[in-house]
Amino acid sequence: MKAAVFREHDKDPEKVVKIEDIDIPKIKPNEVLVKVEATSYNYNDLWAIWGRPIKVPMPHISGTDISGIVEEVGEEVTSVRKGDRVVSHGNLSCRICNLCTSGREYDCEKRQVWGFQTGPLWGGYCQYAHLPEVNIVKISNNISFEDAAAISMVGMTSWHMLVDRARIKPGQDVLIMGGTSGVGMVGIQIAKLHNCNVIATAGNKQKMDKCLELGADHVVNHREADWYKKVRGITNKKGVDIVFEHIGKTVFPQAVALLKMGGTLVSTGATTGYDSTIDLRYLFFRGINIVGATQGTRAELEDMLYWTANKKIKPLINAVLPFQNMVKGHVMMMNGDQIGKTITTPQKL
């Protein structure tokens, strides 16, 4: 089969990511082999290629989000069968520890992000991929493979951030940072699904317009020095109940300062840097909450797929690339040249 493999780290994806012929994996009794129809890009693909913040097993196949058709099932598998349309749940955990059995598999001490921390040669940028049965979720016929791959991890993560961690409620003022990113595009729609007043941010006019199309009530340019003042003006200086954050260092202190009394900032990333600061007076005088979120549960993924199937939440797809040219997606993501999710189709060279 064809797979996108890299065997060394480099800042330039085009130098190291190559399409190679490798063997189709042999599955274990509890695993499922999937003919991959679509794989979507995530920022952890770049971290893997760069070799930071952690080294990854080599040779490496990245890719956490796949959708496709079940090709083969192990002898212990009972929940899916050959021919089923499925999507991956990329959070690999032990499923038996106290954290996993209490519904917190994302906190499992043995947790790994499939396609990022796994390997050698175990990820989603390939024509056939294998996963444990518990990490395979069926999708309905009215969700396209492209939409399923695009929504799986970012949708699950966004749902976990807003519903589980931030405890979103109708009527709240919600600030979605980076509204045309993978998580941002879904964050806007989840907040509107909960009848909230949504303020989104984006880095240029095209992206700002797309935020409004997704349902945001207001949008500001977070690349402008006074962006946070504009947000405060929109709220009549009251601030916001929830900040949905994943940009990091360049916006984090201002985002914290925008919270109302008792407000919540939920963070799932830091693409502009990790070493941020906050004014601690906001923390104790306003009684704010700063919480983190990483991925989510299988149940949260299934919630997202339900709303996607019912057309209440729709992924924003930037481009669909043939597999032979899939490395272009890494370059586009690295340069910020995308609005929404980029997809590649491993069966189409």
Side-chain angles (χ1 to χ4, degrees), residues 77-210:
V77 173
T78 60
S79 64
V80 296
R81 59 185 180 181
K82 183 174 180 178
D84 282 346
R85 304 174 79 253
V86 297
V87 71
S88 59
H89 175 223
N91 188 83
L92 302 179
S93 62
C94 76
R95 303 283 175 169
I96 59 173
C97 70
N98 179 267
L99 291 168
C100 283
T101 55
S102 62
R104 293 170 56 194
E105 59 255 40
Y106 45 81
D107 286 333
C108 176
E109 291 184 359
K110 296 181 180 180
R111 182 182 76 90
Q112 287 186 308
V113 178
W114 178 60
F116 174 43
Q117 297 167 291
T118 55
L121 298 177
W122 192 23
Y125 289 113
C126 51
Q127 292 183 314
Y128 293 89
H130 63 106
L131 277 166
E133 177 185 10
V134 295
N135 292 93
I136 293 291
V137 178
K138 288 192 282 191
I139 57 174
S140 67
N141 290 331
N142 60 339
I143 303 178
S144 70
F145 289 122
E146 290 82 2
D147 281 357
I151 204 72
S152 56
M153 186 163 75
V154 295
M156 173 183 66
T157 301
S158 300
W159 191 271
H160 179 58
M161 290 173 72
L162 288 172
V163 178
D164 181 75
R165 300 295 281 148
R167 303 294 185 187
I168 192 170
K169 297 178 182 177
Q172 289 184 316
D173 294 308
V174 179
L175 174 62
I176 305 291
M177 301 299 300
T180 58
S181 66
V183 289
M185 68 177 182
V186 187
I188 290 172
Q189 295 178 80
I190 293 172
K192 291 311 298 180
L193 191 65
H194 286 79
N195 294 315
C196 292
N197 178 50
V198 178
I199 306 167
T201 78
N204 59 47
K205 187 178 185 306
Q206 183 184 12
K207 292 182 178 182
M208 292 169 71
D209 289 343
K210 189 61 69 173

Side-chain angles (χ1 to χ4, degrees), residues 1-6 22-25 31-36 38-40 42 44-45 48 56-57 59-67 88 90 92 113-132 136 323 326 344 346:
M1 69 172 182
K2 302 292 185 182
V5 179
F6 59 91
I22 65 172
D23 292 336
I24 295 176
E31 289 186 332
V32 176
L33 183 69
V34 179
K35 180 182 179 183
V36 181
T39 307
S40 72
N42 292 292
N44 61 25
D45 300 340
V56 299
H60 198 79
I61 298 174
S62 290
T64 303
D65 304 334
I66 66 164
S67 62
S88 59
L92 302 179
V113 178
W114 178 60
F116 174 43
Q117 297 167 291
T118 55
L121 298 177
W122 192 23
Y125 289 113
C126 51
Q127 292 183 314
Y128 293 89
H130 63 106
L131 277 166
I136 293 291
F323 197 52
M326 63 80 59
T344 188

Side-chain angles (χ1 to χ4, degrees), residues 244-305:
F244 177 103
E245 217 297 279
H246 52 97
I247 295 176
K249 182 177 181 177
T250 60
V251 301
F252 197 84
Q254 297 89 345
V256 170
L258 285 168
L259 288 169
K260 293 179 182 177
M261 299 289 288
T264 297
L265 182 147
V266 57
S267 169
T268 195
T271 53
T272 63
Y274 309 107
D275 53 337
S276 186
T277 61
I278 64 169
D279 186 331
L280 290 174
R281 291 172 295 182
Y282 293 119
L283 190 63
F284 53 82
F285 279 134
R286 294 187 186 174
I288 64 172
N289 308 287
I290 300 177
V291 298
T294 301
Q295 291 211 6
T297 66
R298 178 189 170 108
E300 288 167 329
L301 172 57
E302 290 175 335
D303 285 338
M304 279 304 308
L305 293 171

